[in-house]
Amino acid sequence: MEQIAFFVLALLVVASALSVITNRNPVTCAVSLAFNLVAIAGLYMLLDAQFLGLMQVIVYAGAIMVLILFVIMLLNLREEEQPHPAGRVQRVIAPVASLAFSIVIGRAVFASAPSSFPDKAEGFGNAAALGNELFTKFYYPFEAISLLLIVAMVGAVLLAKRKVE
Amino acid sequence: MDVLINLIKIIGVFSLLMGLVSVMTWVERRLSAIIQYRLGPNRVGPFGLLQPIADGIKFIQKEDIIPAEAHKVFYVLAPALAVIPALCAFAVIPFGPTVTILGQQVKLVILDLDGGLLWAFAATGLGVYAIVLAGWSSNSKFSLIGGLRSSAQMVSYELPMALAVASVVLVSGTLRPTEIVAQQAGAFWHWNALKGGWQLLGFVIFTIAGYAETNRTPFDLPEAEGELVAGYHTEYSGMRFAAFFMAEYINMMTSSALAITLFLGGWQLGIPEAWQPQPGWLLWGLQIGAFFAKLAFFQILYVWVRWTLPRFRYDQLMNLGWKGLLPISLANLAVTAILVAYDLVGH
């Protein structure tokens, strides 16, 4: 049952990811990306990381991708804009480089894959377990990230603000 | 056996929701007529009760128009994208206690997730895509403006809504809807909106934000007739148009059901336990009835508000969201956090 779910989700993830990079229409790309994010959330849920999966849908698919769609529509990037034509050097180097990169990554994943997965602790992946970890073991990194986000937010507001006469 | 029980629950809730949607279209029109001193649909069947069936037949028979310049895939996909998340969100709502049927313990909730509230938010959050895509793919300026308005509105009002929910989560210490309901057992003052969590303010914020999230008057700017013809669904006809309306009514029910679960005791009767009948079909029936009675009240409130209040202007809507509800809900969260930290409130 889990295996069937995994393969269905994996197929959806790969198909939507391909759709993101092969489509010329920016709205189609954005929707494919949102679909991809939801499918990955499904994979997280399969791995018992329920909180992470639901947060992925709420934050990335539900908020960030909606804002990206919003911007695309405001800019009215309606029909397939002609991309910059790829140069000859680019045409040769790009496939070779990406092939080499995927081989390296693939080998690394296979080399580091454990033969068996560790037993998961009681309550693994739910909000309570994650909260306990975040506010005890990872307290300082967590606060540092919060600070970084606030700085980014203040910066964005300052940049967007009109000059006061 | 579990699979069978789940299947029955899913089919049961699905058909119940669909049935309630058609009843709601009738309630909305009859009640609006009463409010405006008219009669409303009263010809088809007794009191016009068969009107929804007549409407359904009409919708199916209507020509399905796809505008020539529309983006066909998204145009066809959008109504389905509206209905599916709306239905998914309802899965985590407990509509009754754990009952025993033929020796089987059955929880009257489809999906008893540990992060159930997050599931509801995730599903309703995805509902925005339907409106945005419908607006964009129709290739009409009215639709596009409606879609843009709705995405801005829904993203803005999700924040106060989520903060109001976070206050309840602080009080109950869990994200599981069934547990939140179980904590509010007993007399009605144990409900979270009252002495159970002192969340009356949170309840008001959640309800107001719920009206904005479901695009209902006074926040129905994505489909403001006076300016946008019909907003994001201007170009739709027949069943696809009906699908948007189904989604709106299902969303109204999900949002009311969430408010009931979080603040008003869910399926709890609200009377002291000593006065309740012994656990058995009588008690369970009363409790399921209590849930649907509360749901009915909220649905009627939605209609009542719609035909009483005028529509906001767009800047008023944004001001209310960002400068009104957001600071108030933040303050509510902070005060609740302090009270919880000093054990003055909580279960």
Side-chain angles (χ1 to χ4, degrees):
Chain A
M1 190 71 188
E2 266 186 23
Q3 285 222 321
I4 299 171
F6 171 78
F7 280 113
V8 170
L9 282 171
L11 195 72
L12 286 177
V13 169
V14 174
S16 54
L18 281 177
S19 161
V20 174
I21 52 169
T22 52
N23 264 300
R24 287 278 167 83
N25 187 328
V27 173
T28 314
C29 295
V31 174
S32 306
L33 185 55
F35 199 80
N36 181 268
L37 292 168
V38 175
I40 289 176
L43 285 181
Y44 288 154
M45 303 269 275
L46 260 190
L47 292 171
D48 278 321
Q50 199 189 84
F51 185 79
L52 187 64
L54 290 172
M55 272 302 161
Q56 159 111 342
V57 177
I58 294 175
V59 175
Y60 284 96
I64 292 179
M65 284 314 296
V66 172
L67 285 181
I68 289 181
L69 258 184
F70 188 81
V71 171
I72 291 174
M73 286 176 186
L74 268 186
L75 297 177
N76 205 13
L77 298 171
R78 203 179 151 77
E79 267 321 300
E80 293 87 43
E81 303 261 312
Q82 272 298 315
H84 301 293
R88 188 172 294 163
V89 185
Q90 207 178 348
R91 267 168 207 255
V92 178
I93 290 178
V96 173
S98 33
L99 193 70
F101 185 67
S102 49
I103 289 173
V104 170
I105 288 288
R107 284 205 58 118
V109 168
F110 275 111
S112 66
S115 52
S116 68
F117 288 99
D119 292 332
K120 52 177 191 275
E122 179 67 30
F124 170 84
N126 66 21
L130 195 79
N132 274 334
E133 290 285 298
L134 272 185
F135 285 103
T136 52
K137 206 165 155 193
F138 299 102
Y139 182 71
Y140 292 107
F142 179 74
E143 289 299 320
I145 289 172
S146 317
L147 203 66
L148 188 70
L149 280 176
I150 286 195
V151 170
M153 208 156 73
V154 171
V157 170
L158 263 181
L159 284 177
K161 201 176 143 200
R162 281 197 215 99
K163 284 255 169 19
V164 184
E165 296 294 321
Chain B
M1 196 64 198
D2 279 349
V3 176
L4 191 68
I5 291 173
N6 274 332
L7 210 63
I8 292 172
K9 279 197 281 195
I10 290 170
I11 294 171
V13 170
F14 175 75
S15 26
L16 193 73
L17 278 180
M18 285 304 178
L20 285 176
V21 164
S22 58
V23 173
M24 268 310 290
T25 61
W26 177 81
V27 170
E28 173 116 49
R29 295 209 263 164
R30 287 293 285 195
L31 212 57
S32 68
I34 292 170
I35 290 171
Q36 296 178 332
Y37 210 60
R38 295 185 285 119
L39 284 175
N42 63 351
R43 296 287 151 166
V44 195
F47 307 108
L49 264 173
L50 297 180
Q51 186 69 38
I53 296 172
D55 284 344
I57 295 169
K58 185 189 82 178
F59 277 133
I60 291 169
Q61 285 178 329
K62 269 184 136 180
E63 187 189 354
D64 178 34
I65 300 167
I66 300 181
E69 287 291 305
H71 191 293
K72 291 217 175 50
V73 179
F74 288 140
Y75 186 83
V76 173
L77 204 64
L81 279 181
V83 177
I84 294 167
L87 283 170
C88 283
F90 208 87
V92 291
I93 308 281
F95 52 93
T98 307
V99 300
T100 319
I101 304 174
L102 305 173
Q104 290 277 333
Q105 296 269 319
V106 179
K107 274 184 185 166
L108 290 184
V109 54
I110 294 174
L111 202 58
D112 189 16
L113 274 185
D114 184 66
L117 289 178
L118 298 175
W119 170 279
F121 265 91
T124 48
L126 291 180
V128 193
Y129 283 101
I131 296 177
V132 173
L133 286 177
W136 177 80
S137 67
S138 301
N139 195 26
S140 138
K141 49 179 163 289
F142 299 120
S143 303
L144 184 65
I145 294 172
L148 288 177
R149 278 185 179 185
S150 96
S151 59
Q153 174 176 333
M154 287 171 96
V155 170
S156 313
Y157 275 78
E158 241 166 45
L159 294 173
M161 201 177 202
L163 287 174
V165 173
S167 313
V168 175
V169 172
L170 274 183
V171 171
S172 3
T174 175
L175 285 163
R176 192 190 285 266
T178 48
E179 231 165 276
I180 293 175
V181 173
Q183 286 172 353
Q184 302 177 69
F188 65 86
W189 53 83
H190 292 302
W191 293 350
N192 275 338
L194 304 166
K195 261 173 78 181
W198 296 112
Q199 289 302 319
L200 193 59
L201 185 61
F203 170 59
V204 173
I205 294 166
F206 186 92
T207 312
I208 295 174
Y211 281 69
E213 288 284 298
T214 50
N215 293 326
R216 289 284 295 192
T217 320
F219 306 113
D220 62 339
L221 285 119
E223 40 189 313
E225 306 85 352
E227 317 152 32
L228 297 181
V229 189
Y232 62 90
H233 58 60
T234 303
E235 304 293 335
Y236 282 86
S237 66
M239 265 331 262
R240 294 195 209 287
F241 166 78
F244 280 115
F245 262 74
M246 268 194 260
E248 179 176 319
Y249 282 113
I250 298 168
N251 276 328
M252 277 157 62
M253 277 186 253
T254 310
S255 144
S256 324
L258 267 177
I260 294 166
T261 305
L262 289 168
F263 299 99
L264 298 182
W267 44 261
Q268 302 283 0
L269 286 176
I271 53 174
E273 253 148 27
W275 298 0
Q276 293 179 5
Q278 288 299 311
W281 276 108
L282 178 63
L283 178 66
W284 300 332
L286 281 176
Q287 284 171 331
I288 297 169
F291 176 80
F292 284 103
K294 289 173 194 174
L295 194 64
F297 169 75
F298 270 93
Q299 298 308 301
I300 289 170
L301 192 69
Y302 264 112
V303 176
W304 192 357
V305 167
R306 171 167 178 186
W307 297 96
T308 309
L309 294 180
R311 182 179 299 132
F312 275 74
R313 230 173 39 222
Y314 199 69
D315 57 319
Q316 292 172 329
L317 171 94
M318 283 296 155
N319 272 341
L320 178 71
W322 289 100
K323 295 182 182 169
L325 290 181
L326 187 63
I328 296 173
S329 56
L330 260 177
N332 184 44
L333 183 69
V335 171
T336 311
I338 292 168
L339 291 180
V340 169
Y342 289 98
D343 271 334
L344 293 170
V345 70
H347 292 284

